[in-house]
Amino acid sequence: MKKFLVIGNPIDHSLSPKLHNYWFKKYNINAIYGKLETNDTDLAELCENVRDGRLNGINVTVPFKKSIMPYVDVLSDHSLRTKSVNTISLENGKLIGHNTDIDGFELSIKKINFDVTNKSIVILGAGGVVPSIIYALQRMNVSNIFISNRTKEKAEELKKIFDDLKILDWGELTDFDMIINATSIGLKENDNFSFDLTKTKKNKFFYDVIYAPYKTNFFNIGNEKDNIYENGLKMFLYQAQKAFYIWHNIEPEINNEVIEFVKN
Ligand code: ATR
């Protein structure tokens, strides 16, 4: 039986095991997918476990997407560009670090009736998933990307990778077409922003990377007026679909049934 893991810290909230195990059953794959709360000191051994076949693949989530990089043999173009790995596979004896978050984000946007071409985007947060979002937005030819993070130095670090980023102070907002919450504000039920997002004009696209809980305060604002709102569930599903394809050569279907299954 093949074995897969998602590693991160914290990891309890991860829905990856639920999703991958559902697809194993659906596509008759003899495999099991678990989760492991991990520390930095475990990364080398976990990667060796993939090399020697005790594990068949790993998904990596915060805070290890960057720190796992030295332990793989080959980085995909997407991983190199974003300095971020979320999927590890073994191919011809070599450990490959992939980044499927980029496709995950891009596909989630393409499923919505909102064309980001030449649009101005504000990203709140500078954590693990943000390089992938920036890179995907650049590929979709947005006009401007502004980034605002409580700890400004982290936004400045990102500017070293993406030099045309524009940095805003935390709480400072500029005019935008789309705003993305990539912070962890909203993971806890009463979490809210320390600044007012409700004064933004109409017809804006609010995208929350958080998908559990399904409705956050950011959702409540984004759902008002004539705004468009999307949460991170589709990004999560599409990054998983791409990882599944890397490991099993099958592109699992994303339909209402799987969306409802993961949500509940
Ligand atoms: P990591 O930073 O380890 O990659 P993450 O969950 O991907 O983890 O990122 C957390 C993001 O949420 C960061 O941008 C963080 O801001 P800091 O860089 O200042 O820590 C942001 N964040 C978390 N709680 C926050 C809060 N209460 N107010 C503002 N930003 C917050």
Side-chain angles (χ1 to χ4, degrees):
M1 181 186 271
K2 290 187 172 175
K3 292 194 183 106
F4 298 85
L5 264 188
V6 58
I7 62 168
N9 199 339
I11 197 63
D12 250 4
H13 66 282
S14 174
L15 293 176
S16 293
K18 186 176 180 184
L19 178 60
H20 283 266
N21 286 321
Y22 168 89
W23 280 335
F24 291 156
K25 210 167 159 192
K26 181 167 176 185
Y27 295 100
N28 286 318
I29 295 170
N30 185 21
I32 187 158
Y33 188 117
K35 58 185 162 191
L36 185 71
E37 190 173 290
T38 308
N39 296 306
D40 275 314
T41 46
D42 305 325
L43 299 180
E45 190 184 338
L46 283 162
C47 286
E48 284 317 301
N49 285 346
V50 180
R51 197 189 295 284
D52 66 23
R54 269 182 286 179
L55 277 174
N56 300 87
I58 300 178
N59 274 143
V60 184
T61 187
V62 288
F64 303 118
K65 290 184 181 192
K66 187 172 180 189
S67 49
I68 197 91
M69 286 173 64
Y71 303 106
V72 302
D73 304 317
V74 180
L75 290 163
S76 72
D77 287 348
H78 279 183
S79 301
L80 268 175
R81 185 68 188 92
T82 53
K83 306 220 180 331
S84 176
V85 165
N86 81 326
T87 303
I88 295 173
S89 66
L90 187 71
E91 284 157 45
N92 301 322
K94 294 221 180 296
L95 285 179
I96 318 283
H98 309 261
N99 178 342
T100 71
D101 287 329
I102 298 167
D103 284 340
F105 181 79
E106 199 168 323
L107 284 165
S108 76
I109 297 286
K110 288 187 171 155
K111 301 286 166 186
I112 299 164
N113 199 10
F114 186 91
D115 183 4
V116 295
T117 316
N118 293 323
K119 296 284 182 356
S120 220
I121 319 287
V122 168
I123 301 175
L124 304 173
V129 81
V130 172
S132 304
I133 292 177
I134 295 169
Y135 186 52
L137 288 169
Q138 288 182 338
R139 280 160 51 97
M140 289 186 277
N141 297 317
V142 302
S143 67
N144 283 305
I145 303 175
F146 297 90
I147 188 144
S148 172
N149 193 51
R150 177 179 63 179
T151 312
K152 201 172 182 177
E153 292 75 27
K154 281 212 223 157
E156 279 154 3
E157 282 299 310
L158 282 171
K159 200 172 156 63
K160 290 182 190 160
I161 316 181
F162 303 100
D163 57 10
D164 43 9
L165 269 188
K166 297 178 176 68
I167 299 179
L168 301 172
D169 286 336
W170 181 239
E172 179 193 1
L173 284 181
T174 181
D175 198 18
F176 60 83
D177 302 295
M178 176 183 188
I179 187 164
I180 300 169
N181 175 31
T183 71
S184 41
I185 301 172
L187 278 179
K188 295 196 210 96
E189 208 175 315
N190 291 322
D191 274 356
N192 214 341
F193 289 87
S194 54
F195 50 92
D196 194 0
L197 278 167
T198 58
K199 290 195 183 115
T200 51
K201 292 186 205 128
K202 290 182 178 183
N203 301 317
K204 306 293 180 196
F205 183 4
F206 282 71
Y207 188 108
D208 198 341
V209 170
I210 294 172
Y211 54 88
Y214 199 71
K215 290 183 181 175
T216 57
N217 274 317
F218 195 76
F219 167 89
N220 295 332
I221 302 161
N223 220 20
E224 276 176 4
K225 303 180 192 163
D226 296 315
N227 293 325
I228 302 170
Y229 175 82
E230 180 71 30
N231 75 9
L233 187 65
K234 295 223 176 74
M235 177 177 182
F236 166 71
L237 291 169
Y238 286 110
Q239 66 72 30
Q241 182 192 51
K242 295 289 165 193
F244 200 88
Y245 184 80
I246 288 167
W247 292 327
H248 311 291
N249 219 14
I250 292 171
E251 191 166 271
E253 200 185 347
I254 291 177
N255 51 21
N256 284 339
E257 195 182 309
V258 72
I259 291 172
E260 287 307 315
F261 174 76
V262 171
K263 257 168 74 177
N264 297 315

